[in-house]
Amino acid sequence: MKKTLLFVVMIPVLSFSQGKDVLKYFISKDNLVGVKNKKGEIIIPAQFINLTGVKNGELVKSVNNTIFFDSSLANKSEVEKNAWGVVFDEKGKLLYQPYSYDNGADYFSEGVRRFVKNGKIGFVDRNAKTVIEPEHDFVSPFNYGYASFCDGCDWEKTNDEHKAIVGGKWGVMNTRGQTVQPLAKQSGEDIEIDGKYYPYPFSYSGKEKNILQFFEKQNKKLSDIYYVNVYNTFSDDEKKLFFEIVERPKENFPYYQVNTYDYRKKDLGTLYRFKFLVSEDGKTFYAIEDFNEKKVLFENWLKEEIKNAEDFQKEHKDNPNKFINK
Protein backbone atom coordinates (compact mmCIF):
# COMPACT_ATOMS: atom_id res chain seq x y z
CA MET A 1 0.00 0.00 0.00
CA LYS A 2 1.59 3.27 -1.11
CA LYS A 3 1.71 5.79 1.70
CA THR A 4 2.55 9.48 1.95
CA LEU A 5 3.44 11.38 5.05
CA LEU A 6 0.31 13.47 5.13
CA PHE A 7 -2.20 11.24 3.40
CA VAL A 8 -5.36 10.93 5.47
CA VAL A 9 -7.88 8.41 4.22
CA MET A 10 -11.56 9.27 4.17
CA ILE A 11 -11.45 12.84 5.49
CA PRO A 12 -13.03 15.11 2.91
CA VAL A 13 -12.69 18.70 4.13
CA LEU A 14 -9.41 20.61 4.21
CA SER A 15 -9.79 23.44 6.70
CA PHE A 16 -7.71 26.49 5.89
CA SER A 17 -8.40 29.96 7.28
CA GLN A 18 -6.71 33.26 6.59
CA GLY A 19 -5.58 33.64 10.17
CA LYS A 20 -3.98 30.22 10.48
CA ASP A 21 -0.26 29.92 11.09
CA VAL A 22 1.91 28.60 8.29
CA LEU A 23 3.49 25.33 9.37
CA LYS A 24 6.48 23.67 7.74
CA TYR A 25 8.35 20.44 8.18
CA PHE A 26 11.94 20.52 9.31
CA ILE A 27 14.57 17.82 9.22
CA SER A 28 16.91 17.34 12.17
CA LYS A 29 20.58 16.43 11.89
CA ASP A 30 19.73 12.78 12.48
CA ASN A 31 17.12 12.93 9.66
CA LEU A 32 14.02 12.93 11.87
CA VAL A 33 10.96 14.99 10.90
CA GLY A 34 9.24 17.67 12.99
CA VAL A 35 7.14 20.81 12.44
CA LYS A 36 7.93 24.52 12.91
CA ASN A 37 5.77 27.62 12.54
CA LYS A 38 6.63 30.59 10.30
CA LYS A 39 8.66 32.14 13.14
CA GLY A 40 10.86 29.06 13.25
CA GLU A 41 9.48 27.94 16.59
CA ILE A 42 9.26 24.17 17.04
CA ILE A 43 5.62 23.04 17.21
CA ILE A 44 6.26 19.31 17.00
CA PRO A 45 9.78 18.14 17.88
CA ALA A 46 11.66 16.06 15.32
CA GLN A 47 10.75 12.51 16.29
CA PHE A 48 9.51 10.76 13.17
CA ILE A 49 11.50 8.57 10.79
CA ASN A 50 11.57 10.20 7.36
CA LEU A 51 10.19 7.24 5.41
CA THR A 52 8.73 9.21 2.50
CA GLY A 53 11.47 11.74 1.81
CA VAL A 54 9.71 14.87 3.08
CA LYS A 55 11.73 18.00 2.28
CA ASN A 56 13.07 20.49 4.77
CA GLY A 57 10.73 23.53 4.68
CA GLU A 58 7.90 21.67 2.94
CA LEU A 59 4.48 23.09 3.82
CA VAL A 60 2.25 21.12 6.17
CA LYS A 61 -1.31 20.71 4.92
CA SER A 62 -3.46 20.16 7.96
CA VAL A 63 -6.76 18.30 7.68
CA ASN A 64 -9.62 19.33 9.95
CA ASN A 65 -7.04 21.25 12.01
CA THR A 66 -5.00 18.10 12.60
CA ILE A 67 -1.61 16.90 11.38
CA PHE A 68 -1.17 13.21 10.64
CA PHE A 69 2.32 11.71 10.59
CA ASP A 70 2.04 8.56 8.51
CA SER A 71 5.33 7.34 9.90
CA SER A 72 6.86 5.64 12.88
CA LEU A 73 8.03 7.38 16.03
CA ALA A 74 11.79 7.03 16.36
CA ASN A 75 11.36 6.15 20.04
CA LYS A 76 9.72 2.72 19.79
CA SER A 77 8.77 2.76 23.47
CA GLU A 78 6.25 5.52 22.67
CA VAL A 79 4.52 3.54 19.92
CA GLU A 80 1.23 2.00 21.00
CA LYS A 81 0.73 -1.71 20.31
CA ASN A 82 -0.99 -2.25 16.93
CA ALA A 83 -0.86 1.49 16.10
CA TRP A 84 0.24 3.23 12.91
CA GLY A 85 1.19 6.90 12.79
CA VAL A 86 0.33 9.79 15.09
CA VAL A 87 -2.20 12.63 14.91
CA PHE A 88 -1.42 16.04 16.42
CA ASP A 89 -3.35 19.28 16.58
CA GLU A 90 -1.82 22.40 15.01
CA LYS A 91 -0.39 23.52 18.36
CA GLY A 92 1.64 20.32 18.68
CA LYS A 93 -0.56 18.40 21.10
CA LEU A 94 -0.55 14.66 20.49
CA LEU A 95 -4.18 13.67 20.01
CA TYR A 96 -4.09 9.94 19.26
CA GLN A 97 -2.35 7.07 17.52
CA PRO A 98 -4.55 5.41 14.86
CA TYR A 99 -5.06 1.66 14.93
CA SER A 100 -2.97 -0.16 12.33
CA TYR A 101 -4.99 -1.69 9.51
CA ASP A 102 -4.03 -2.91 6.03
CA ASN A 103 -0.42 -1.72 6.35
CA GLY A 104 -1.43 1.79 7.33
CA ALA A 105 -3.61 3.88 9.60
CA ASP A 106 -7.17 2.66 10.10
CA TYR A 107 -9.74 3.93 7.61
CA PHE A 108 -12.75 5.96 8.66
CA SER A 109 -15.83 3.74 8.64
CA GLU A 110 -19.28 5.19 9.27
CA GLY A 111 -17.69 8.45 10.37
CA VAL A 112 -15.21 7.08 12.91
CA ARG A 113 -11.82 5.37 13.00
CA ARG A 114 -10.14 3.21 15.63
CA PHE A 115 -7.28 4.43 17.79
CA VAL A 116 -5.09 2.85 20.44
CA LYS A 117 -4.33 4.10 23.95
CA ASN A 118 -2.63 2.01 26.65
CA GLY A 119 -3.17 -1.07 24.50
CA LYS A 120 -6.95 -0.61 24.29
CA ILE A 121 -9.00 0.39 21.24
CA GLY A 122 -11.51 3.22 21.01
CA PHE A 123 -12.96 5.47 18.29
CA VAL A 124 -12.45 9.08 17.20
CA ASP A 125 -14.41 11.15 14.70
CA ARG A 126 -12.93 13.13 11.80
CA ASN A 127 -12.28 16.08 14.14
CA ALA A 128 -10.13 13.85 16.39
CA LYS A 129 -12.78 13.90 19.12
CA THR A 130 -13.02 10.70 21.13
CA VAL A 131 -16.52 9.30 20.63
CA ILE A 132 -15.95 5.87 22.23
CA GLU A 133 -13.35 5.49 24.97
CA PRO A 134 -10.59 2.88 24.48
CA GLU A 135 -11.72 -0.01 26.66
CA HIS A 136 -11.39 -3.22 24.61
CA ASP A 137 -8.53 -5.39 23.37
CA PHE A 138 -9.99 -5.49 19.87
CA VAL A 139 -12.90 -3.81 18.08
CA SER A 140 -13.95 -4.29 14.47
CA PRO A 141 -14.82 -1.33 12.22
CA PHE A 142 -18.46 -0.27 12.39
CA ASN A 143 -20.84 -1.90 9.95
CA TYR A 144 -24.51 -0.98 9.81
CA GLY A 145 -24.35 0.77 13.17
CA TYR A 146 -22.61 -2.03 15.10
CA ALA A 147 -19.07 -3.17 15.90
CA SER A 148 -17.90 -6.45 17.42
CA PHE A 149 -15.41 -6.30 20.29
CA CYS A 150 -13.48 -8.72 22.46
CA ASP A 151 -11.58 -8.66 25.74
CA GLY A 152 -8.83 -11.09 26.65
CA CYS A 153 -8.15 -11.80 22.96
CA ASP A 154 -5.02 -11.26 20.89
CA TRP A 155 -3.59 -11.63 17.40
CA GLU A 156 -2.19 -14.99 16.35
CA LYS A 157 -0.25 -15.74 13.17
CA THR A 158 -1.92 -18.00 10.62
CA ASN A 159 -0.30 -20.18 7.97
CA ASP A 160 -0.23 -17.30 5.48
CA GLU A 161 0.90 -13.68 5.85
CA HIS A 162 -2.19 -12.66 7.81
CA LYS A 163 -3.08 -12.87 11.49
CA ALA A 164 -6.31 -13.81 13.26
CA ILE A 165 -7.89 -12.70 16.53
CA VAL A 166 -8.17 -15.64 18.93
CA GLY A 167 -9.55 -16.19 22.41
CA GLY A 168 -11.34 -13.76 24.67
CA LYS A 169 -14.93 -12.86 25.37
CA TRP A 170 -16.88 -11.27 22.53
CA GLY A 171 -19.72 -8.76 22.39
CA VAL A 172 -21.39 -6.21 20.12
CA MET A 173 -21.51 -2.43 20.67
CA ASN A 174 -23.56 0.38 19.16
CA THR A 175 -22.25 3.77 18.03
CA ARG A 176 -22.40 5.06 21.62
CA GLY A 177 -20.10 2.29 22.79
CA GLN A 178 -22.88 0.51 24.67
CA THR A 179 -23.00 -3.28 24.68
CA VAL A 180 -26.11 -4.54 22.87
CA GLN A 181 -27.67 -7.91 23.61
CA PRO A 182 -29.04 -10.07 20.76
CA LEU A 183 -32.77 -10.33 20.24
CA ALA A 184 -34.72 -13.36 21.33
CA LYS A 185 -36.94 -13.10 18.25
CA GLN A 186 -36.03 -11.85 14.78
CA SER A 187 -38.01 -9.24 12.82
CA GLY A 188 -37.66 -8.05 9.23
CA GLU A 189 -35.29 -5.11 9.73
CA ASP A 190 -32.92 -6.74 12.22
CA ILE A 191 -29.25 -7.22 11.37
CA GLU A 192 -27.48 -10.56 11.68
CA ILE A 193 -24.05 -10.62 13.32
CA ASP A 194 -22.33 -14.00 13.76
CA GLY A 195 -25.61 -15.88 13.68
CA LYS A 196 -27.42 -13.63 16.17
CA TYR A 197 -29.87 -10.81 15.47
CA TYR A 198 -29.71 -7.22 16.68
CA PRO A 199 -32.28 -4.42 16.39
CA TYR A 200 -32.35 -1.99 13.48
CA PRO A 201 -29.99 0.77 14.71
CA PHE A 202 -31.01 3.84 12.69
CA SER A 203 -33.64 6.56 13.23
CA TYR A 204 -34.33 9.53 10.96
CA SER A 205 -35.99 12.92 10.81
CA GLY A 206 -38.37 13.82 8.00
CA LYS A 207 -35.61 15.57 6.04
CA GLU A 208 -33.32 12.58 6.44
CA LYS A 209 -36.03 10.22 5.22
CA ASN A 210 -36.35 12.37 2.10
CA ILE A 211 -32.59 12.11 1.54
CA LEU A 212 -32.76 8.33 1.69
CA GLN A 213 -35.82 8.28 -0.58
CA PHE A 214 -33.70 9.89 -3.30
CA PHE A 215 -31.50 6.79 -3.36
CA GLU A 216 -34.32 4.31 -2.79
CA LYS A 217 -36.12 5.54 -5.93
CA GLN A 218 -33.03 4.51 -7.91
CA ASN A 219 -32.38 1.26 -6.07
CA LYS A 220 -32.90 -1.03 -9.08
CA LYS A 221 -30.61 0.96 -11.36
CA LEU A 222 -27.90 1.34 -8.73
CA SER A 223 -28.01 -2.35 -7.80
CA ASP A 224 -27.79 -3.38 -11.48
CA ILE A 225 -24.75 -1.12 -11.88
CA TYR A 226 -23.05 -2.57 -8.81
CA TYR A 227 -23.67 -6.23 -9.72
CA VAL A 228 -23.05 -6.02 -13.46
CA ASN A 229 -19.48 -7.34 -13.14
CA VAL A 230 -20.24 -9.90 -10.40
CA TYR A 231 -20.30 -13.43 -11.77
CA ASN A 232 -22.32 -15.08 -9.02
CA THR A 233 -25.97 -15.11 -9.99
CA PHE A 234 -28.26 -13.13 -7.67
CA SER A 235 -32.03 -12.80 -7.56
CA ASP A 236 -33.62 -9.35 -7.59
CA ASP A 237 -34.21 -9.62 -3.83
CA GLU A 238 -30.54 -10.50 -3.25
CA LYS A 239 -29.43 -7.56 -5.38
CA LYS A 240 -31.51 -5.06 -3.41
CA LEU A 241 -29.37 -2.36 -1.82
CA PHE A 242 -29.91 -0.59 1.50
CA PHE A 243 -29.01 3.05 2.09
CA GLU A 244 -28.37 4.49 5.54
CA ILE A 245 -27.13 7.82 6.88
CA VAL A 246 -23.99 7.05 8.88
CA GLU A 247 -22.73 10.58 9.55
CA ARG A 248 -24.43 13.93 10.03
CA PRO A 249 -23.20 17.53 9.54
CA LYS A 250 -20.68 18.73 12.10
CA GLU A 251 -17.74 21.11 12.39
CA ASN A 252 -15.52 20.82 9.28
CA PHE A 253 -18.03 18.46 7.66
CA PRO A 254 -21.25 20.11 6.34
CA TYR A 255 -22.68 16.90 4.88
CA TYR A 256 -24.74 13.84 5.50
CA GLN A 257 -22.87 10.68 4.50
CA VAL A 258 -24.93 7.87 3.04
CA ASN A 259 -23.43 4.38 2.82
CA THR A 260 -24.71 1.48 0.74
CA TYR A 261 -25.20 -2.07 2.03
CA ASP A 262 -26.12 -5.39 0.42
CA TYR A 263 -29.14 -7.55 1.30
CA ARG A 264 -27.25 -9.01 4.30
CA LYS A 265 -26.76 -5.44 5.65
CA LYS A 266 -23.03 -5.71 4.94
CA ASP A 267 -20.99 -2.79 3.65
CA LEU A 268 -20.21 -3.27 -0.03
CA GLY A 269 -16.53 -3.48 0.86
CA THR A 270 -15.41 -0.41 -1.09
CA LEU A 271 -13.54 2.48 0.49
CA TYR A 272 -15.42 5.14 -1.44
CA ARG A 273 -17.48 3.70 -4.33
CA PHE A 274 -21.24 3.70 -3.63
CA LYS A 275 -20.74 6.09 -0.72
CA PHE A 276 -22.43 9.46 -1.01
CA LEU A 277 -22.49 12.94 0.49
CA VAL A 278 -25.55 15.20 0.74
CA SER A 279 -25.46 18.92 1.49
CA GLU A 280 -26.67 20.05 4.90
CA ASP A 281 -29.89 21.42 3.39
CA GLY A 282 -30.56 18.02 1.80
CA LYS A 283 -30.73 19.41 -1.73
CA THR A 284 -27.39 18.62 -3.38
CA PHE A 285 -26.21 15.04 -3.83
CA TYR A 286 -22.65 13.90 -4.46
CA ALA A 287 -20.80 10.64 -4.96
CA ILE A 288 -17.41 10.08 -3.34
CA GLU A 289 -14.84 9.65 -6.09
CA ASP A 290 -11.52 8.75 -4.45
CA PHE A 291 -9.69 7.83 -1.25
CA ASN A 292 -9.57 11.47 -0.09
CA GLU A 293 -13.34 11.82 -0.57
CA LYS A 294 -13.18 14.08 -3.58
CA LYS A 295 -16.83 14.55 -4.42
CA VAL A 296 -18.60 14.71 -7.80
CA LEU A 297 -22.22 15.64 -8.47
CA PHE A 298 -24.38 12.55 -8.28
CA GLU A 299 -25.84 12.97 -11.77
CA ASN A 300 -22.36 13.14 -13.31
CA TRP A 301 -21.24 10.10 -11.33
CA LEU A 302 -24.32 8.17 -12.41
CA LYS A 303 -23.75 8.93 -16.11
CA GLU A 304 -20.20 7.64 -15.85
CA GLU A 305 -21.27 4.53 -13.94
CA ILE A 306 -23.94 3.76 -16.54
CA LYS A 307 -21.39 4.11 -19.33
CA ASN A 308 -18.93 1.83 -17.53
CA ALA A 309 -21.65 -0.77 -16.90
CA GLU A 310 -22.75 -0.75 -20.54
CA ASP A 311 -19.16 -0.97 -21.78
CA PHE A 312 -18.45 -3.91 -19.45
CA GLN A 313 -21.54 -5.73 -20.63
CA LYS A 314 -20.61 -5.29 -24.29
CA GLU A 315 -17.22 -6.86 -23.63
CA HIS A 316 -18.52 -9.59 -21.29
CA LYS A 317 -21.74 -10.88 -22.80
CA ASP A 318 -21.74 -13.86 -20.43
CA ASN A 319 -22.25 -11.74 -17.30
CA PRO A 320 -25.20 -13.26 -15.36
CA ASN A 321 -26.40 -10.02 -13.73
CA LYS A 322 -27.55 -7.89 -16.65
CA PHE A 323 -27.68 -4.11 -16.59
CA ILE A 324 -30.72 -2.60 -18.32
CA ASN A 325 -30.76 1.18 -18.38
CA LYS A 326 -34.36 2.22 -17.93
Side-chain angles (χ1 to χ4, degrees):
M1 183 179 185
K2 187 176 181 180
K3 309 292 291 185
T4 58
L5 194 64
L6 269 174
F7 178 69
V8 181
V9 178
M10 301 298 285
I11 306 182
V13 182
L14 297 181
S15 303
F16 299 103
S17 64
Q18 293 181 351
K20 289 179 66 172
D21 198 359
V22 175
L23 301 178
K24 297 181 179 181
Y25 296 114
F26 74 95
I27 311 297
S28 68
K29 293 181 179 179
D30 47 0
N31 203 38
L32 298 180
V33 182
V35 173
K36 291 182 179 180
N37 62 17
K38 61 183 177 182
K39 297 178 181 179
E41 299 168 335
I42 294 176
I43 303 300
I44 300 174
Q47 55 189 307
F48 296 93
I49 300 171
N50 192 4
L51 296 175
T52 57
V54 65
K55 306 299 183 187
N56 195 54
E58 185 177 328
L59 286 176
V60 173
K61 295 179 181 178
S62 63
V63 179
N64 291 354
N65 302 313
T66 65
I67 302 169
F68 171 50
F69 279 89
D70 192 3
S71 182
S72 176
L73 285 160
N75 186 349
K76 299 301 182 183
S77 66
E78 297 178 357
V79 179
E80 289 280 358
K81 179 183 178 182
N82 296 323
W84 183 294
V86 184
V87 176
F88 290 84
D89 68 15
E90 293 175 317
K91 298 186 182 299
K93 179 183 177 182
L94 194 157
L95 299 175
Y96 68 91
Q97 295 187 39
Y99 183 74
S100 176
Y101 180 73
D102 193 21
N103 295 319
D106 194 34
Y107 307 127
F108 279 84
S109 177
E110 301 192 358
V112 294
R113 84 183 328 173
R114 293 169 291 181
F115 77 103
V116 188
K117 184 176 181 181
N118 298 326
K120 303 293 184 180
I121 300 174
F123 288 86
V124 294
D125 67 11
R126 66 181 68 245
N127 290 317
K129 177 183 176 182
T130 298
V131 293
I132 297 177
E133 293 292 337
E135 296 177 342
H136 301 288
D137 293 328
F138 174 78
V139 189
S140 70
F142 272 93
N143 175 80
Y144 212 74
Y146 290 111
S148 298
F149 67 86
C150 66
D151 295 307
C153 54
D154 205 349
W155 288 99
E156 182 179 87
K157 289 185 178 180
T158 61
N159 292 330
D160 56 21
E161 64 180 12
H162 299 96
K163 295 188 294 183
I165 289 287
V166 295
K169 182 179 180 181
W170 287 80
V172 171
M173 69 167 66
N174 60 23
T175 55
R176 295 181 295 278
Q178 300 167 330
T179 300
V180 180
Q181 299 300 325
L183 298 168
K185 186 176 181 181
Q186 175 194 2
S187 64
E189 288 190 320
D190 298 335
I191 174 174
E192 181 182 357
I193 303 174
D194 295 330
K196 299 177 181 179
Y197 290 90
Y198 295 83
Y200 179 75
F202 301 103
S203 61
Y204 298 114
S205 66
K207 181 173 76 171
E208 291 169 344
K209 290 177 181 178
N210 289 336
I211 288 173
L212 294 175
Q213 190 62 28
F214 171 87
F215 296 100
E216 188 57 40
K217 287 178 179 178
Q218 305 179 79
N219 199 318
K220 180 66 166 63
K221 180 176 290 186
L222 292 173
S223 67
D224 283 354
I225 288 172
Y226 178 75
Y227 284 102
V228 69
N229 61 352
V230 176
Y231 269 75
N232 292 330
T233 302
F234 291 92
S235 67
D236 285 343
D237 285 343
E238 290 173 328
K239 289 196 295 184
K240 179 178 171 59
L241 300 176
F242 292 83
F243 305 97
E244 304 290 355
I245 294 173
V246 298
E247 191 170 8
R248 292 174 168 84
K250 60 169 69 70
E251 182 183 2
N252 298 318
F253 186 70
Y255 305 102
Y256 295 91
Q257 180 166 324
V258 177
N259 283 9
T260 309
Y261 303 86
D262 66 16
Y263 74 99
R264 302 166 300 167
K265 313 293 178 64
K266 301 295 185 183
D267 186 274
L268 296 183
T270 63
L271 288 179
Y272 58 87
R273 190 166 176 253
F274 279 80
K275 291 180 170 63
F276 307 98
L277 299 174
V278 183
S279 61
E280 192 166 359
D281 61 8
K283 296 179 179 179
T284 308
F285 293 76
Y286 304 94
I288 297 173
E289 196 172 49
D290 63 17
F291 292 101
N292 286 319
E293 287 199 348
K294 177 183 177 182
K295 60 186 186 296
V296 58
L297 285 171
F298 179 86
E299 54 265 34
N300 296 339
W301 172 85
L302 184 59
K303 289 177 183 178
E304 184 66 20
E305 288 287 337
I306 290 173
K307 180 181 182 300
N308 292 340
E310 291 175 337
D311 289 346
F312 178 88
Q313 199 158 258
K314 288 177 183 178
E315 297 176 7
H316 304 83
K317 298 184 185 300
D318 62 338
N319 69 312
N321 301 296
K322 300 299 182 184
F323 172 71
I324 301 174
N325 186 17
K326 63 179 180 178

